[in-house]
Amino acid sequence: MLLNKLSTMASFSRANRHLLAVLFSACLASTCFPRADALRVPLATKINSDDQAVLEDLVSAWGDFTGSDTWKDSGKKCDHYTGIDCAGNGRVTNMTIADAGASGTIGVLTKLQSLKYLDLSGNDITGSAASLSKITSLSYIDVSGNTNLNTGFSSLSNLEKLKHLDISDTGYEGSISTFVSKLTDLTHLDMASNSLSGSIPGFLSKLKKLVYLGLSATGEDGLKGSLPSGLGKLTRLEELYLHRNGLSGPVNVLSTLTKLNRLLLGDNYFNGSFPWGFSKLRNLNYLSMRYNALEGRIPNVISTLNKLTYLSLYNNNLKGIIPRTITTLTKLNNLLLQDNYLDGYVPVLTTLKKLTEVDLSANYFTGPPPNFYRAPSTLNLDDNYFFGSSVPKDKNGDTICAASLDKNCLTIPSSYGCGSKPSQRTASACNKFCGTSGNLQCGGIRIGICYPSDKVVETSGSTIDPGCLCANGWSVSDDKQECTK
């Protein structure tokens, strides 16, 4: 409308034209048009000269690293400097120089007093982390992978705004310092891949906002003792990493952490049975308890963990059968149960359509080897007592040639079609496993659901799936996979 009036100014009187010009000038100076600072995308801010001088000093201290050439240019807007973000006043607030090849002391960095976010991971920064305690505005620190920045962390206790602290793989040595207990706003604490010692302190229970806790050690020594009850109070935890330590005792205390989606407890000395309380951890998609001393059976309630994609229980002392309820874990990609004392028939696994890695080796499984919906890329069934003439097949009936079947009791057919036949146990080794009379008789073959114990029984007319017989005085179990008294 204003432009239409301007186009017809020639028809106005001199007074009218003068009035319109005054109104137009006033409009330019007021709110008729949006100001630059009101635009959706703000103009880039020029970096503060003092902070830019610090960047130049850092280049001198750290040498050439990825993006350092831009830090030498003065008077530029913030978006010119690689890995740098600024506030509206030009002060540096964010610095991300990860895996950039920077090498030198951390000291001069402390002059950036508006810094909130600092990621120096994967470099070779040296000196004492105590320097960072002078930047009280910090809410995010990641110095992981700087293996010579391993002292002074206790001084960080004054950083009241800190929410994220990653000092993993820095060469930190010793017990978990009490400075951590004062950082009550932390949501992420990672001290993994260090030489941790002592026990897990109870004061960690004060960090009630934690979502991520990483305390895995290097595997050479690590944390000792049992899990403190306070860990069970960290109910916001979604990821917990305690692997490669020397921890022992039961793990039931973790049953209250119902928001967990990743739980790594492997390479410790945890004992007792698989905790029934874990049935409450229904958000778990990754569970590793490998290389421990767990005993007893895998409980049927494992079926409640229906978001699992990764299950690793290998190298324990688990016994009994694989519960059929495991076939409801339809999101499983990895099923690792090797090196236990599991026995019986393997349940039908064709419902687990996403399996890519299966290892059941070094157990006492019998019956025919299992079939699969599709061929896993890794399938290890070695060192068991599978018998019969069938070999693993996929849903189309095609032989799964990736299957490793050595050291079983199979009669591999001549039509095997997968190159050289797997080497099998001798007949005497197979018979010895079940005793001279066998504890079950399946299809006339004196081998069946056997145990590495002295439970050897005579056969009778009680049927057991699939077509096996139980001895007099023995009854078929509810899942029809073994004979019980």
Side-chain angles (χ1 to χ4, degrees):
M1 180 177 178
L2 184 58
L3 293 176
N4 290 335
K5 288 184 178 181
L6 287 172
S7 67
T8 59
M9 282 183 70
S11 63
F12 283 12
S13 66
R14 180 183 297 274
N16 285 338
R17 290 200 303 269
H18 176 72
L19 176 61
L20 187 57
V22 171
L23 291 173
F24 187 74
S25 298
C27 188
L28 286 175
S30 64
T31 58
C32 294
F33 300 99
R35 291 164 33 182
D37 59 359
L39 295 176
R40 184 178 298 274
V41 181
L43 298 177
T45 304
K46 185 177 178 180
I47 193 170
N48 176 275
S49 58
D50 291 336
D51 285 4
Q52 198 279 323
V54 174
L55 297 187
E56 290 185 5
D57 290 342
L58 286 173
V59 174
S60 298
W62 295 350
D64 290 333
F65 54 88
T66 304
S68 64
D69 55 325
T70 66
W71 288 23
K72 301 174 185 178
D73 301 328
S74 61
K76 301 292 185 180
K77 294 178 180 178
C78 281
D79 58 2
H80 172 77
Y81 300 93
T82 301
I84 297 298
D85 290 321
C86 301
N89 60 3
R91 289 288 185 178
V92 173
T93 57
N94 292 24
M95 179 182 290
T96 303
I97 309 297
D99 299 301
S103 177
T105 59
I106 198 170
V108 70
L109 184 69
T110 60
K111 295 180 180 180
L112 297 176
Q113 285 297 301
S114 296
L115 199 60
K116 297 179 180 179
Y117 184 105
L118 177 62
D119 184 355
L120 299 178
S121 58
N123 289 291
D124 187 21
I125 305 301
T126 61
S128 172
S131 300
L132 298 177
S133 65
K134 299 176 183 178
I135 312 176
T136 56
S137 55
L138 280 169
S139 63
Y140 184 107
I141 297 175
D142 185 349
V143 291
S144 61
N146 291 278
T147 55
N148 293 307
L149 186 67
N150 51 24
T151 61
F153 290 112
S154 59
S155 298
L156 303 182
S157 60
N158 69 313
L159 300 181
E160 298 177 353
K161 299 178 181 179
L162 199 59
K163 298 182 182 298
H164 182 113
L165 178 60
D166 189 340
I167 59 174
S168 61
D169 194 21
T170 55
Y172 180 102
E173 294 183 347
S175 60
I176 300 172
S177 174
T178 55
F179 86 92
V180 173
S181 66
K182 298 178 181 179
L183 303 175
T184 54
D185 268 354
L186 279 180
T187 60
H188 183 113
L189 174 61
D190 196 347
M191 302 179 71
S193 301
N194 286 307
S195 298
L196 299 174
S197 60
S199 60
I200 297 178
F203 59 67
L204 287 183
S205 63
K206 296 180 180 180
L207 308 182
K208 297 185 184 302
K209 297 181 181 180
L210 275 184
V211 175
Y212 181 109
L213 178 58
L215 298 178
S216 59
T218 58
E220 298 175 1
D221 190 6
L223 299 167
K224 299 287 196 301
S226 58
L227 299 180
S229 59
L231 274 184
K233 297 179 181 179
L234 303 180
T235 54
R236 296 187 186 184
L237 275 180
E238 295 178 7
E239 299 185 49
L240 178 58
Y241 300 86
L242 300 178
H243 51 295
R244 296 197 302 270
N245 281 293
L247 298 166
S248 58
V251 294
N252 297 351
V253 67
L254 304 179
S255 298
T256 57
L257 306 182
T258 56
K259 292 187 178 182
L260 281 176
N261 55 63
R262 292 178 68 84
L263 178 58
L264 279 73
L265 303 174
D267 300 89
N268 280 289
Y269 299 98
F270 292 122
N271 53 32
S273 60
F274 185 97
W276 284 64
F278 275 19
S279 62
K280 301 174 185 176
L281 308 185
R282 301 188 180 190
N283 288 305
L284 272 184
N285 58 56
Y286 192 108
L287 175 60
S288 175
M289 301 179 71
R290 68 183 193 185
Y291 283 104
N292 278 291
L294 298 178
E295 300 176 338
R297 294 170 172 261
I298 302 172
N300 287 323
V301 293
I302 200 169
S303 62
T304 62
L305 308 182
N306 54 21
K307 294 183 180 180
L308 275 182
T309 61
Y310 186 100
L311 177 61
S312 175
L313 300 176
Y314 66 86
N315 278 95
N316 279 285
N317 298 316
L318 297 171
K319 298 179 180 180
I321 61 171
I322 299 176
R324 288 191 176 184
T325 54
I326 206 169
T327 62
T328 64
L329 304 182
T330 55
K331 296 183 179 181
L332 266 185
N333 299 138
N334 309 78
L335 178 61
L336 308 176
L337 302 177
Q338 66 267 32
D339 288 290
N340 279 289
Y341 297 93
L342 298 169
D343 54 37
Y345 281 60
V346 175
V348 176
L349 299 178
T350 51
T351 57
L352 307 183
K353 299 180 180 181
K354 297 184 177 182
L355 283 176
T356 59
E357 181 184 19
V358 178
D359 197 333
L360 306 180
S361 62
N363 279 290
Y364 294 88
F365 293 119
T366 58
N371 295 322
F372 296 85
Y373 182 79
R374 62 168 57 90
S377 55
T378 301
L379 175 57
N380 191 347
L381 303 176
D382 290 347
D383 200 7
N384 280 289
Y385 289 84
F386 291 116
F387 64 86
S389 58
S390 63
V391 292
K393 299 181 182 298
D394 63 19
K395 63 183 175 69
N396 298 318
D398 295 328
T399 299
I400 299 175
C401 289
S404 186
L405 295 165
D406 289 333
K407 293 185 69 176
N408 279 287
C409 298
L410 294 166
T411 304
I412 305 295
S414 57
S415 58
Y416 177 57
C418 293
S420 59
K421 296 180 182 179
S423 60
Q424 298 299 296
R425 298 179 186 275
T426 64
S428 60
C430 290
N431 290 332
K432 182 178 180 181
F433 174 68
C434 279
T436 55
S437 60
N439 73 331
L440 293 172
Q441 185 177 21
C442 304
I445 303 173
R446 283 203 174 279
I447 187 168
I449 303 172
C450 307
Y451 298 81
S453 64
D454 57 357
K455 189 165 85 173
V456 177
V457 297
E458 298 296 331
T459 58
S460 72
S462 300
T463 60
I464 185 169
D465 187 38
C468 298
L469 303 174
C470 289
N472 289 323
W474 293 75
S475 60
V476 182
S477 61
D478 291 340
D479 53 25
K480 296 184 179 180
Q481 291 221 8
E482 64 175 327
C483 298
T484 60
K485 268 194 174 182

